[in-house]
Amino acid sequence: MRKRTVRSVAAAVALILAVLPGCASNGNEGNTKTNINQAEGQKPSDTPKTFNETGLPIVDQPIKLTMMGAEDMQRNWEDLYFFKGMEKDTNIQFKYTTLPSTSYQERKNLAFASNELPDVFFNGGLSSNDEVNYGSQGMLIPLEQLIADYAPTLTKLFEHNPEIRQSITAPDGHIYALPQIADHPRDRFPRLFVNGEWLNNLNISQLPSTVDELYDMLVKFRDEDPNQNGVADEIPLTGDNKLHYLRPIMLSYFGYVSDFVNVKDDKVNFVPVQSGYKDYLTFMNKLYAEKLLDPEIFSQNKAQMTAKGENELYGVMGNSLPIFGGKDRQVVPNNILDNPQMPPLVSEAGATPIYLERDTIRRGMFAITSANKHPEATIRWFDYLYSEEGYLHAQYGIEGESYRWSDTDPKYVEFMVPEGMLENDFKNMKVSNLGYGFANEELEKKFLNSSWLGFVLNDQVGQYEDYGQKAFPLTYFTEDELQRVNAITVDLQTFIEQMEAKIVVGQDPVSKWEEYVQTMNKMGVEELVAIYQASYDRWKNAK
């Protein structure tokens, strides 16, 4: 079922460039269609006569729209080079309403409840339920016909990556919000990293390839003083947030890339009742009993785990960065590979190496509401976000004002940081880094220094990309389905976590497994699987 997003997106970039805004004429020949085929429930637009179907600016005479979005950095969006650059290119201006994420959801819900809507949601945090609910009520307008008529960059992405369209199409067949797509290898995979210094100290030259070899390495970490302090204080394997990060990685060694629902050969399975889940619990209980797994795994937070790293206490960790604390905390990109990534492992239960691959699609980012009188112009503005020029504005701002090209060969972007200001503060407070529609490694390589840390992380994970599998696609539930899923899932997930903790720490024996399975089945597993299957079938058939 897995769809190789990164390769297909990269292949599509060349085709997309041919249709980017700015490549076509912006004269009178580009003026609007006055009788757009409006989707059901969408108001007729007040498209200005100066609207251009292609090219830039999008409108010859400026128009002003209202925008609402979440903002946690206390920035004024009107001061960001991103929005300044977009306004300069498109002639579309915005009045901004931004709120911290802690209060944004309440304000967003109030806007819908009172029908006092902005023209546009940007960084909108729209849930799938928001899209289905407010789309069906006509507060969010359908976008698919607007995309077909006025969004060539998005259209090309959809053609070359059908999963994107499938993942943003609501059960009624409409698209109510657009996603942000961040297709970087470093972000797609949860990972285990191994302490390179410990490997060197114990003369371990080869990483494990099986679960048994992982166990043997952890035993060496426990018994052979790899931190060389003369004290038996080593923690062979650790993680934070209970087992939420480690669990899907460890489960992949036993044949699953999900700790809840998994789809294989178009059939949905509930993972916690599968035999592979029992094998996972048995292995984790063994590690815990033999002091190979952090005894505080169910209680420690990220800060506590980091503190142990500062004291060079652990050998394998679940984390997004291969930084083990101590002298390695201020890591130099060239040395980051000293702490290698654990490869996918196999076992008797999982004979094929697989890796959990996360979705690259962040739904609910951009939407047009029924208050908007210029949907054609707005969809073109959104489409620009998915172009290379839109990405450039979002990440770097305006050439000659916020960035310049280096004098090196090859060239890369250098920020024009005001004197007395740190570059990172300048990027965060003045540029943006929130508005791009699409980004991937190929785009980054056009603008960044080849020694950038992100490239090093991409290289580290790249060797394992072909093993990636997605557990379940981004789908939508109907309102009725969502109510049942929520009702079943809350109690079921609580029970699963309690069962896991009891078995791993030895409070309950693994022999109680069948009893646990029977309990889960009585809690609605069959109904839950049926709902997920219906949702998956709609996703697969979305056009």
Side-chain angles (χ1 to χ4, degrees):
M1 57 127 334
R2 184 173 175 272
K3 301 183 185 296
R4 174 64 54 191
T5 305
V6 62
R7 289 179 177 170
S8 55
V9 170
V13 169
L15 289 172
I16 293 168
L17 295 179
V19 295
L20 290 179
C23 297
S25 166
N26 64 353
N28 292 333
E29 63 195 47
N31 286 351
T32 186
K33 295 178 182 180
T34 56
N35 295 313
I36 182 172
N37 181 19
Q38 299 289 332
E40 183 178 352
Q42 182 178 326
K43 290 182 178 180
S45 68
D46 292 336
T47 305
K49 294 180 180 180
T50 58
F51 168 70
N52 301 306
E53 291 185 23
T54 59
L56 293 174
I58 293 174
V59 288
D60 292 331
Q61 298 299 319
I63 59 174
K64 192 157 191 173
L65 303 173
T66 57
M67 174 185 288
M68 178 183 286
E71 170 57 73
D72 281 324
M73 299 185 70
Q74 297 182 331
R75 300 174 295 190
N76 293 318
W77 282 8
E78 59 265 26
D79 295 333
L80 294 177
Y81 282 102
F82 162 60
F83 287 115
K84 289 179 180 179
M86 290 291 289
E87 180 179 331
K88 180 180 178 181
D89 282 353
T90 66
N91 251 349
I92 298 178
Q93 305 168 351
F94 286 97
K95 180 180 179 181
Y96 305 99
T97 300
T98 61
L99 301 102
S101 59
T102 52
S103 56
Y104 171 72
Q105 292 298 323
E106 181 179 355
R107 178 65 179 273
K108 177 199 70 178
N109 293 339
L110 179 61
F112 282 114
S114 63
N115 202 24
E116 295 181 359
L117 297 168
D119 294 311
V120 166
F121 282 102
F122 180 93
N123 199 29
L126 298 171
S127 68
S128 59
N129 193 39
D130 288 336
E131 294 179 44
V132 171
N133 184 23
Y134 300 124
S136 65
Q137 295 180 41
M139 295 183 179
L140 298 175
I141 69 170
L143 304 177
E144 60 276 359
Q145 190 60 53
L146 288 168
I147 292 170
D149 290 342
Y150 301 110
T153 310
L154 271 169
T155 298
K156 287 292 183 183
L157 281 176
F158 290 171
E159 289 174 357
H160 290 272
N161 303 273
E163 185 176 351
I164 298 174
R165 177 186 282 275
Q166 290 171 307
S167 299
I168 62 173
T169 300
D172 63 3
H174 290 309
I175 296 171
Y176 294 112
L178 297 175
Q180 185 178 68
I181 303 163
D183 198 358
H184 308 114
R186 61 182 181 273
D187 295 331
R188 293 208 313 271
F189 301 91
R191 286 162 283 169
L192 291 183
F193 292 104
V194 186
N195 191 319
E197 186 173 351
W198 287 22
L199 293 174
N200 292 332
N201 290 343
L202 299 184
N203 294 316
I204 299 174
S205 59
Q206 187 169 347
L207 292 174
S209 61
T210 69
V211 168
D212 290 339
E213 290 175 3
L214 170 62
Y215 170 81
D216 291 340
M217 185 182 73
L218 296 178
V219 169
K220 289 182 179 181
F221 284 172
R222 181 194 64 191
D223 296 342
E224 298 183 17
D225 194 24
N227 63 10
Q228 297 184 341
N229 66 354
V231 181
D233 58 357
E234 286 82 2
I235 301 170
L237 173 64
T238 192
D240 68 326
N241 195 19
K242 299 182 180 180
L243 284 170
H244 290 175
Y245 194 95
L246 285 181
R247 185 188 303 118
I249 301 173
M250 305 301 288
L251 268 170
S252 70
Y253 305 158
F254 299 95
Y256 295 94
V257 289
S258 169
D259 58 3
F260 199 64
V261 292
N262 192 89
V263 64
K264 186 174 183 179
D265 298 327
D266 295 329
K267 182 179 179 182
V268 175
N269 296 296
F270 186 68
V271 176
V273 300
Q274 306 299 321
S275 61
Y277 200 92
K278 178 183 178 183
D279 294 330
Y280 150 75
L281 291 175
T282 302
F283 183 67
M284 297 302 285
N285 169 251
K286 179 180 180 180
L287 297 185
Y288 189 92
E290 298 184 19
K291 302 187 186 310
L292 302 176
L293 177 64
D294 195 327
E296 297 179 322
I297 190 68
F298 289 102
S299 61
Q300 73 181 356
N301 57 31
K302 186 77 168 181
Q304 291 167 322
M305 188 182 92
T306 300
K308 292 176 181 177
E310 292 289 345
N311 293 310
E312 301 183 15
L313 294 182
Y314 50 78
V316 180
M317 66 168 178
N319 200 11
S320 59
L321 291 172
I323 301 174
F324 278 75
K327 62 181 175 57
D328 286 331
R329 190 171 185 192
Q330 300 301 322
V331 67
V332 177
N334 290 337
N335 295 333
I336 203 167
L337 295 179
D338 289 347
N339 298 319
Q341 178 180 329
M342 187 75 71
L345 307 182
V346 296
S347 66
E348 290 185 7
T352 302
I354 55 176
Y355 239 50
L356 168 62
E357 181 175 354
R358 298 187 181 111
D359 283 299
T360 62
I361 302 167
R362 183 183 174 192
R363 291 194 303 204
M365 283 291 289
F366 316 116
I368 303 175
T369 75
S370 56
N372 192 313
K373 297 181 179 180
H374 307 291
E376 294 92 344
T378 306
I379 199 67
R380 287 208 58 213
W381 191 91
F382 281 154
D383 192 56
Y384 193 43
L385 299 179
Y386 296 85
S387 71
E388 186 171 306
E389 286 89 345
Y391 172 84
L392 196 60
H393 280 321
Q395 296 294 86
Y396 311 111
I398 302 174
E399 184 176 0
E401 296 185 37
S402 59
Y403 78 89
R404 58 176 170 253
W405 289 97
S406 68
D407 295 329
T408 59
D409 185 21
K411 295 181 182 297
Y412 58 86
V413 164
E414 295 178 329
F415 284 101
M416 299 170 64
V417 183
E419 186 176 353
M421 192 174 192
L422 296 175
E423 180 175 307
N424 204 47
D425 290 339
F426 178 71
K427 289 189 291 185
N428 288 334
M429 301 306 296
K430 293 297 184 182
V431 182
S432 168
N433 197 31
L434 60 77
Y436 66 83
F438 164 71
N440 73 348
E441 187 178 10
E442 298 305 313
L443 271 178
E444 289 179 333
K445 285 182 175 179
K446 290 187 175 185
F447 307 116
L448 293 173
N449 191 322
S450 61
S451 65
W452 182 56
L453 176 60
F455 292 157
V456 178
L457 294 173
N458 284 340
D459 290 342
Q460 191 172 46
V461 75
Q463 60 187 316
Y464 304 124
E465 278 191 88
D466 288 342
Y467 299 106
Q469 290 186 9
K470 292 182 179 178
F472 195 82
L474 286 171
T475 66
Y476 289 87
F477 297 113
T478 66
E479 287 191 66
D480 290 341
E481 288 173 341
L482 185 63
Q483 289 181 3
R484 290 302 301 149
V485 166
N486 289 340
I488 296 170
T489 298
V490 171
D491 292 338
L492 195 54
Q493 285 186 325
T494 299
F495 177 79
I496 291 167
E497 289 190 11
Q498 292 173 345
M499 169 197 70
E500 175 189 55
K502 288 179 180 179
I503 290 179
V504 170
V505 304
Q507 183 177 337
D508 280 357
V510 179
S511 59
K512 291 186 68 173
W513 166 253
E514 293 301 330
E515 179 182 326
Y516 281 131
V517 170
Q518 292 175 13
T519 300
M520 285 186 280
N521 284 333
K522 291 177 182 177
M523 296 175 75
V525 167
E526 184 177 352
E527 181 183 359
L528 189 71
V529 168
I531 293 172
Y532 270 90
Q533 186 70 58
S535 178
Y536 173 80
D537 291 341
R538 287 195 301 269
W539 172 88
K540 188 178 180 183
N541 293 326
K543 303 297 184 183

